[in-house]
Amino acid sequence: MQITTFAGIDIGSYEVGMKIFELSAKYGMKEITYIRRRLDLGKYAYTTGRIAPEVVDELCEVLIDFTNIMKEYQVTDCRACVTSAIREADNALIILDHIKVRTGIVVEALSNSEQRFLGYKSIAYQGTAFEKMIQKGTAIFDIGGGSIQLSLFDKDKLVTTQNIRMGIIRIRERLSGLEDRSAYQIAMIEDLVNNEINSFKKMYIKDREIRSAILVGDYINYVVRRFRKKDNNEFVTKEELLENFDWLMKLSPRQMAKELGIPAENESLILPAIVIYRRLILDIQPELIWAPGLNLSDGLAYDYAEQHKIMKSSHNFENDILAAAKNIAKRYQSDRPHINVVDSLALTVFDAVKRAAGLGDRDRLLLDIAVQLHHCGKFITISRAAECNYNIIMSTEIIGLSHKERNLIANIVRFVTTDFPGFDELAAKEDIEEESYLKIAKLVAIVRVANALDRSHRQKIKEMRASLKGSRLLLNVDTSEDITLEKGLFPDKAEFFAEVFGIVPEIRQKKKLK
């Protein structure tokens, strides 16, 4: 039996952690060791916008220690990631280069949506508990140093995920120097987060019943562990947790740290975390609460195991990304019947040309998302829908997508109905390389063809088969409707498609008009 030893390194806002796992098809993920070092990167990043050289030196020393530990454990592979503390620093690129030169570790700067998606993957790996919970209304409250992520699931689908830039370090720094008595601190923390939580409730919960909540974050695990010592149960009721929160909030930060077994150096972060969790539970009222005790390192290990086909999840994560895109389209009142038809037609064309065009499965997903979102801009204004579409997508977080992928999708929808620019023209406005430019061109060409086949928005073409014959793409449409409009406007889209792929698409109607 082959066992892979993998290390996941999480360079977070207030500590650097490394978990080492054994990964195997038979036994799944087994945590071997967990090493954590306190390092308050967020204190500098969120206040000054830069991380000082001496702090970077300290980080490198920690990572050098980690590399020595990995050698002892004979680690096969590792993945190291930074989150908002370094990602948002003005000198982020310099820091990442410094780490690479000094430690040999190549560190990725994850976007918020990538970071949360990996954390969510680690929860989904827990299997039946997660799958059972998300059949009915379930919220995930993920509280980090830089922000709060609120996600909703219902009927096995992701309804929405929203980020609030109000994490426990940001709150601590904002309140530093103000009244430090606990009662005043609690009131001020609640005042900071209440408006954002209320807005989330009004927009996304409304009449939706939230039956359960999954709590993610370091300090909630200490709270649950404290009063679940005997039965080792990660599940608690709303009443049990609120009772413990109320008791803890009467203590000083030093007393809280002692009661929970948290190092004294972290005591200033406990109260903000507890107050936010308590506020969310009181406002959203989940009955059953689960604190699985996972973090980004678990997500990195699971993602590695999945990518290398060591393990396979029963949960379809791509469906969650698509569900999020569909809910964005719904929010902007997109034309759902038109989108459904264009989506089916675009994916049919994609499948016919993907091998010849050098496109892969991830590109198919990006195409699917682009089609789902290509009508959002009309909600703002019909006359400038393309630009509005671009701005909506670039301003909206889509879980599981990197910033680069979101930028790619935004450009696809922008150029479905506007002139496609040359590389130099687009690169002058966007941070884009040639490979991404070519991918945008290919996916735009496919969406344009599919969109033209439903130009009337009447869904005249119910079924279509696409077959590649040499330099021709035969689109065999099964309809008895009059598609004179579609045929008449098609050559313009076909010309761009031929320019991009070197393949000429042709419409062939099987049924005659009634």
Side-chain angles (χ1 to χ4, degrees):
M1 178 184 65
Q2 184 177 358
I3 296 177
T4 300
T5 309
F6 175 84
I9 300 174
D10 174 12
I11 304 172
S13 301
Y14 47 85
E15 70 178 26
V16 184
M18 178 176 71
K19 286 187 179 182
I20 296 178
F21 301 86
E22 286 185 348
L23 309 175
S24 68
K26 185 175 182 179
Y27 297 110
M29 280 172 52
K30 181 182 177 183
E31 183 183 318
I32 303 301
T33 190
Y34 184 16
I35 304 102
R36 308 161 80 173
R37 301 286 176 83
R38 168 76 173 178
L39 190 57
D40 208 343
L41 295 170
K43 177 181 179 180
Y44 303 94
Y46 304 143
T47 54
T48 67
R50 302 182 74 82
I51 297 176
E54 59 270 22
V55 181
V56 178
D57 287 342
E58 188 178 352
L59 172 59
C60 288
E61 290 300 323
V62 172
L63 294 176
I64 289 170
D65 287 345
F66 282 3
T67 59
N68 293 329
I69 294 169
M70 284 191 279
K71 289 175 184 176
E72 292 175 12
Y73 281 88
Q74 298 181 345
V75 168
T76 307
D77 208 347
C78 77
R79 184 177 177 191
C81 296
V82 297
T83 53
S84 61
I86 290 181
R87 182 178 68 234
E88 295 181 17
D90 294 335
N91 56 340
L93 287 177
I94 295 171
I95 295 168
L96 296 180
D97 183 66
H98 195 63
I99 293 171
K100 181 181 176 182
V101 171
R102 281 199 57 188
T103 71
I105 298 175
V106 177
V107 179
E108 296 176 57
L110 295 176
S111 68
N112 181 68
S113 60
E114 290 175 298
Q115 173 192 343
R116 305 301 180 171
F117 192 59
L118 285 169
Y120 150 52
K121 273 190 167 186
S122 69
I123 299 170
Y125 170 66
Q126 304 304 303
T128 55
F130 176 76
E131 293 296 332
K132 186 176 180 180
M133 289 181 82
I134 64 173
Q135 298 303 318
K136 297 180 180 178
T138 298
I140 298 180
F141 304 149
D142 185 353
I143 299 177
S147 65
I148 304 166
Q149 192 79 16
L150 304 179
S151 304
L152 293 180
F153 286 84
D154 201 7
K155 298 176 183 176
D156 196 32
K157 291 183 179 179
L158 178 65
V159 177
T160 189
T161 182
Q162 298 295 320
N163 186 255
I164 300 171
R165 289 167 61 85
M166 199 72 71
I168 56 178
I169 291 184
R170 289 189 201 270
I171 289 174
R172 184 196 65 185
E173 295 305 311
R174 189 171 293 188
L175 298 182
S176 64
L178 301 179
E179 175 63 63
D180 62 357
R181 282 185 293 168
S182 291
Y184 287 98
Q185 287 278 328
I186 291 166
M188 287 187 287
I189 294 167
E190 289 189 334
D191 284 345
L192 282 174
V193 300
N194 275 345
N195 183 57
E196 282 75 9
I197 293 173
N198 288 334
S199 297
F200 179 80
K201 278 183 63 180
K202 288 176 185 176
M203 290 183 67
Y204 301 105
I205 295 184
K206 297 179 182 176
D207 299 326
R208 193 185 302 276
E209 184 182 11
I210 303 302
R211 301 282 294 276
S212 54
I214 301 170
L215 308 190
V216 180
D218 288 323
Y219 299 110
I220 191 61
N221 302 326
Y222 286 100
V223 176
V224 173
R225 203 177 298 138
R226 178 193 171 274
F227 65 92
R228 283 296 193 189
K229 290 180 194 172
K230 295 179 182 178
D231 55 12
N232 197 31
N233 190 355
E234 297 165 340
F235 291 88
V236 296
T237 65
K238 173 184 64 178
E239 290 74 19
E240 285 177 314
L241 194 56
L242 289 174
E243 182 181 337
N244 276 268
F245 282 161
D246 291 341
W247 175 76
L248 284 167
M249 287 163 57
K250 294 174 184 176
L251 306 178
S252 69
R254 181 61 53 89
Q255 290 171 325
M256 275 193 278
K258 185 176 180 181
E259 285 289 340
L260 296 175
I262 293 172
E265 59 190 3
N266 292 350
E267 65 183 36
S268 64
L269 300 174
I270 303 170
L271 184 63
I274 288 176
V275 172
I276 297 169
Y277 282 122
R278 180 177 176 274
R279 186 75 263 152
L280 285 165
I281 291 168
L282 285 172
D283 279 6
I284 297 176
Q285 293 287 312
E287 289 300 322
L288 182 65
I289 294 164
W290 179 33
L294 304 168
N295 61 22
L296 179 60
S297 294
D298 297 271
L300 293 173
Y302 176 76
D303 188 63
Y304 179 88
E306 186 185 43
Q307 296 296 327
H308 289 78
K309 304 190 185 313
I310 298 171
M311 298 186 306
K312 185 177 180 181
S313 173
S314 58
H315 189 78
N316 190 318
F317 296 106
E318 286 193 356
N319 282 350
D320 293 322
I321 302 174
L322 275 174
K326 288 177 181 179
N327 277 297
I328 294 168
K330 183 179 180 181
R331 191 189 317 162
Y332 290 97
Q333 300 180 18
S334 296
D335 184 350
R336 176 49 55 189
H338 172 70
I339 287 173
N340 288 342
V341 166
V342 172
D343 190 46
S344 174
L345 297 173
L347 294 178
T348 300
V349 173
F350 179 93
D351 291 340
V353 301
K354 65 179 180 181
R355 186 172 297 177
L359 297 168
D361 291 341
R362 188 69 177 182
D363 302 320
R364 193 179 195 273
L365 175 64
L366 298 179
L367 171 69
D368 205 345
I369 295 169
V371 173
Q372 299 299 329
L373 300 177
H374 82 284
H375 256 226
C376 293
K378 290 187 177 182
F379 180 83
I380 309 298
T381 174
I382 295 174
S383 62
R384 297 188 61 196
E387 286 303 315
C388 290
N389 234 333
Y390 174 86
N391 291 326
I392 286 170
I393 294 169
M394 291 305 295
S395 303
T396 305
E397 185 174 84
I398 305 174
I399 194 167
L401 298 183
S402 65
H403 175 79
K404 180 179 178 180
E405 288 176 325
R406 189 150 48 97
N407 179 262
L408 191 144
I409 291 167
N411 277 297
I412 292 168
V413 299
R414 176 161 58 170
F415 298 123
V416 168
T417 56
T418 58
D419 292 340
F420 193 79
F423 173 71
D424 290 340
E425 181 183 347
L426 186 59
K429 301 175 183 177
E430 303 269 352
D431 181 16
I432 196 167
E433 71 281 1
E434 292 180 5
E435 182 183 356
S436 292
Y437 173 81
L438 292 172
K439 189 169 292 185
I440 292 168
K442 291 174 184 179
L443 299 183
V444 165
I446 292 173
V447 180
R448 283 185 178 185
V449 163
N451 203 37
L453 292 170
D454 192 42
R455 185 63 185 83
S456 64
H457 286 236
R458 290 175 53 195
Q459 298 80 59
K460 297 174 185 177
I461 297 172
K462 305 298 182 185
E463 294 182 20
M464 182 182 79
R465 289 182 297 105
S467 56
L468 194 58
K469 302 292 183 183
S471 61
R472 293 183 302 156
L473 178 66
L474 305 182
L475 305 176
N476 296 293
V477 299
D478 190 357
T479 181
S480 55
E481 300 277 349
D482 183 353
I483 57 171
T484 303
L485 176 65
E486 283 73 17
K487 285 183 175 180
L489 298 177
F490 189 74
D492 180 48
K493 314 303 177 187
E495 183 179 347
F496 181 72
F497 190 96
E499 178 186 331
V500 171
F501 292 103
I503 299 168
V504 180
E506 299 176 8
I507 299 176
R508 294 192 174 184
Q509 187 173 2
K510 287 180 66 177
K511 293 183 179 179
K512 295 181 180 180
L513 296 179
K514 293 179 180 177

